[in-house]
Amino acid sequence: MTLTDQFHRKVNYLRVSVTDRCDLRCIYCMKEKMDFLPKKQILTLEEIERLCDNFIDLGVTKIRLTGGEPLVRKNIIELIKKLNIKKNSSNLKEIVLTTNGTLLSEYAYDLKKNGINRINVSLDTIDQNKYNKITRFGDLNKVLLGIEKALEHNIKIKINLVAIKNFNENEFCSIIDWANQLKIDLSFIEVMPMQETDIARHLQYMPLNRVFDDLNEKYKFYKSEKNTGGPSRYYKSPNLSINVGFISPITNNFCSNCNRIRISSTGKLYMCLGQNDYIDFREILRNDYNDNYIKEKIKLALKIKPLKHDFMINKNSKTYMQRHMNVTGG
Ligand code: SAM
Ligand code: SF4
């Protein structure tokens, strides 16, 4: 069984935001004062599992748990355990996680034990003071310890790093060299104009084509064979043993290969990260509709998955997106 959208793109990758809450407040992701949703609006773990089951039946092979911060969700390991069991008997092949890493040292063992072999850790700086500033109060040492523990448990780590104007641009080479020492891949990400945070987007935004050109002078990049089917374009360098990726939704649109859909923590299915349309599954799940009905709704969603996002950032552009990144988890 394969899910295909109206533009004949195969969609086999589901990203699930398991909570809107987070233990950090990264300045490009959230406002300092955020109103999180009442718990009863958030899907229960059983509801998330049932929704995943239906997507898996329809051909989803990969699930990424994200948030908010997925590791602050109570009993998250229980959900992962249940999903992991399905890998033996269904279309599901892989469960992965995107985390800020603050709780990774505590969870690394349980994650590995329950089938998580790859984790993306979001880390925009390796300078303690700057880390504290960008996350508004985070402690870099916790994340570094988390990465260390995950590597000890043979979990493959990739670093995701948002390029932020006047913040981390003079650190890019040292972060690449640090990742190279640890032998972990990393991807640069372009700031996306999700709902406003406290700083205007155009003041945060750095076009990644410029970042690439600058780094290329030093690293002499050439195309890597690594291709995860995702938006990251990977490069190798004669000076590095790792892959360096660039995720540039604005300067290099990648929508023609989009293979993913996203469920928010409240059960809204977003067909595109950069559009506002959704189908709400929470009331369907809570009103005793059967799985066939859920599957028909999922197929309908694929029929209306948009061709591309309309991200744009400039001084005069108005924010079109009505949600922060923690709603859909990137
Ligand atoms: N809390 C987890 C973490 O930080 O990895 C998972 C959720 S977080 C919303 C997922 C990813 O979105 C992170 O890599 C974060 O850096 C990125 N992100 C958040 N807001 C963004 C924005 N406006 N533009 C680009 N990336 C953003
Ligand atoms: Fe939290 Fe992740 Fe958003 Fe940072 S990027 S505030 S860690 S959800």
Coordinates of all heavy atoms in Angstrom, one line a residue, residues 22 28-29 66-70 98-100 120 122 124 160 162 189-192 194 201 325-326 329-330, ligand 1:
C22 N 7.7 22.7 26.0 CA 9.1 22.6 25.9 C 9.8 23.1 27.1 O 9.3 24.0 27.8 CB 9.6 23.3 24.6 SG 11.3 23.0 24.3
Y28 N 13.9 31.9 18.0 CA 13.4 31.9 16.7 C 12.1 30.9 16.6 O 11.5 30.9 15.6 CB 14.4 31.4 15.6 CG 15.1 30.1 16.0 CD1 14.5 28.9 15.7 CD2 16.3 30.1 16.8 CE1 15.1 27.7 16.1 CE2 16.9 29.0 17.2 CZ 16.3 27.7 16.9 OH 16.8 26.6 17.3
C29 N 11.9 30.2 17.7 CA 10.8 29.2 17.7 C 9.6 29.7 18.4 O 8.5 29.5 18.0 CB 11.3 27.9 18.2 SG 10.1 26.6 18.4
T66 N 8.4 14.4 17.5 CA 9.0 15.7 17.7 C 8.0 16.5 18.6 O 7.2 15.9 19.3 CB 9.2 16.3 16.3 OG1 9.7 17.7 16.5 CG2 8.0 16.3 15.4
G67 N 8.2 17.8 18.7 CA 7.3 18.6 19.6 C 7.4 20.0 19.2 O 7.6 20.3 18.0
G68 N 7.2 20.9 20.1 CA 7.6 20.9 21.5 C 8.9 19.9 21.7 O 9.5 19.5 20.8
E69 N 9.1 19.7 22.9 CA 10.2 18.8 23.2 C 9.6 17.4 23.5 O 9.0 17.2 24.6 CB 11.0 19.3 24.4 CG 12.1 18.4 24.9 CD 12.9 17.8 23.8 OE1 13.3 18.4 22.8 OE2 13.2 16.5 23.9
P70 N 9.9 16.4 22.6 CA 9.2 15.1 22.8 C 9.6 14.4 24.1 O 8.8 13.7 24.7 CB 9.7 14.3 21.6 CG 10.9 15.0 21.1 CD 10.7 16.5 21.4
T98 N 13.4 13.9 17.1 CA 14.1 15.2 17.1 C 14.0 15.8 18.5 O 12.9 15.9 19.0 CB 13.4 16.2 16.0 OG1 13.6 15.6 14.7 CG2 14.2 17.5 16.1
T99 N 15.1 16.1 19.0 CA 15.1 16.6 20.4 C 16.1 17.7 20.6 O 17.1 17.8 19.9 CB 15.5 15.4 21.4 OG1 15.6 16.0 22.7 CG2 16.7 14.8 21.0
N100 N 15.8 18.5 21.6 CA 16.8 19.6 22.0 C 17.9 19.0 22.8 O 18.9 19.7 23.1 CB 16.1 20.8 22.7 CG 15.5 20.4 24.0 OD1 15.9 19.4 24.7 ND2 14.5 21.1 24.4
N120 N 18.0 13.3 15.8 CA 18.4 14.6 15.5 C 18.5 15.5 16.7 O 17.4 15.6 17.4 CB 17.5 15.3 14.4 CG 17.7 14.6 13.1 OD1 18.6 13.8 12.8 ND2 16.8 15.0 12.1
S122 N 19.0 19.3 18.1 CA 19.0 20.7 17.7 C 20.0 21.5 18.5 O 19.8 21.5 19.8 CB 17.6 21.3 17.8 OG 16.7 20.5 17.1
D124 N 22.4 25.1 18.2 CA 22.7 26.2 17.3 C 24.0 26.8 17.6 O 24.5 27.7 16.9 CB 21.6 27.3 17.4 CG 20.2 26.7 17.1 OD1 20.1 25.9 16.1 OD2 19.3 26.9 17.9
N160 N 21.2 19.4 14.1 CA 20.5 20.4 13.3 C 20.8 21.8 13.8 O 20.6 22.0 15.0 CB 19.0 20.2 13.3 CG 18.6 19.1 12.3 OD1 19.3 18.8 11.4 ND2 17.4 18.5 12.6
V162 N 20.2 25.9 13.3 CA 19.6 27.0 12.5 C 20.6 28.2 12.4 O 21.2 28.6 13.3 CB 18.3 27.5 13.3 CG1 17.6 28.6 12.5 CG2 17.3 26.3 13.5
I189 N 20.1 24.8 8.9 CA 18.7 25.0 8.5 C 18.4 26.5 8.4 O 18.9 27.3 9.2 CB 17.7 24.5 9.6 CG1 18.0 23.0 9.9 CG2 16.3 24.7 9.2 CD1 17.1 22.4 10.9
E190 N 17.7 26.9 7.4 CA 17.3 28.3 7.2 C 16.1 28.6 8.1 O 15.2 27.8 8.2 CB 16.8 28.4 5.7 CG 17.2 29.7 5.0 CD 17.2 29.5 3.5 OE1 16.3 28.9 3.0 OE2 18.1 29.9 2.8
V191 N 16.2 29.8 8.7 CA 15.0 30.2 9.5 C 13.8 30.3 8.7 O 13.8 30.8 7.6 CB 15.3 31.6 10.1 CG1 14.0 32.3 10.7 CG2 16.3 31.6 11.2
M192 N 12.7 29.7 9.2 CA 11.4 29.8 8.4 C 10.4 30.7 9.1 O 10.4 30.8 10.3 CB 10.8 28.4 8.4 CG 11.7 27.4 7.6 SD 11.0 25.7 7.7 CE 12.5 24.9 8.2
M194 N 7.6 31.0 10.5 CA 6.5 30.5 11.2 C 5.9 31.7 12.0 O 6.4 32.8 11.9 CB 6.9 29.4 12.1 CG 7.6 28.2 11.5 SD 6.7 27.5 10.1 CE 5.4 26.6 10.9
R201 N 11.4 38.4 11.8 CA 12.1 37.4 11.1 C 13.3 37.9 10.2 O 14.3 37.2 10.1 CB 11.1 36.7 10.2 CG 10.2 35.7 10.8 CD 10.9 34.5 11.3 NE 9.9 33.8 12.1 CZ 10.2 32.9 13.1 NH1 11.5 32.7 13.4 NH2 9.3 32.3 13.8
M325 N 6.6 26.9 15.4 CA 7.2 25.6 15.0 C 6.9 24.5 16.0 O 6.8 23.3 15.6 CB 8.7 25.8 14.8 CG 9.3 24.7 14.0 SD 8.8 24.6 12.3 CE 10.2 25.2 11.5
N326 N 6.7 24.8 17.2 CA 6.5 23.7 18.2 C 5.1 23.0 18.0 O 4.9 21.9 18.5 CB 6.5 24.3 19.7 CG 5.4 25.2 20.0 OD1 5.1 26.1 19.2 ND2 4.8 25.0 21.1
G329 N 6.5 20.8 15.0 CA 7.8 20.2 15.2 C 8.8 20.2 14.1 O 9.8 19.5 14.0
G330 N 8.6 21.1 13.1 CA 9.6 21.3 12.0 C 9.5 20.2 11.0 O 8.6 19.3 11.0
Ligands
SAM1 N1 12.3 20.6 20.7 C1 12.8 19.7 19.7 C2 14.1 20.3 19.1 O1 14.4 21.5 19.3 O2 14.8 19.6 18.4 C3 11.9 19.4 18.6 C4 11.0 20.4 18.1 S1 11.8 21.8 17.3 C5 10.4 22.8 16.9 C6 12.2 21.1 15.7 C7 13.2 21.9 14.9 O3 12.6 23.0 14.4 C8 14.5 22.3 15.7 O4 15.6 21.8 15.0 C9 14.4 23.8 15.7 O5 15.7 24.3 15.6 C10 13.6 24.0 14.4 N2 13.0 25.3 14.3 C11 12.2 25.9 15.3 N3 11.7 27.1 14.8 C12 12.2 27.3 13.6 C13 12.1 28.3 12.6 N4 11.3 29.4 12.8 N5 12.8 28.1 11.5 C14 13.6 27.1 11.2 N6 13.7 26.1 12.1 C15 13.0 26.2 13.3

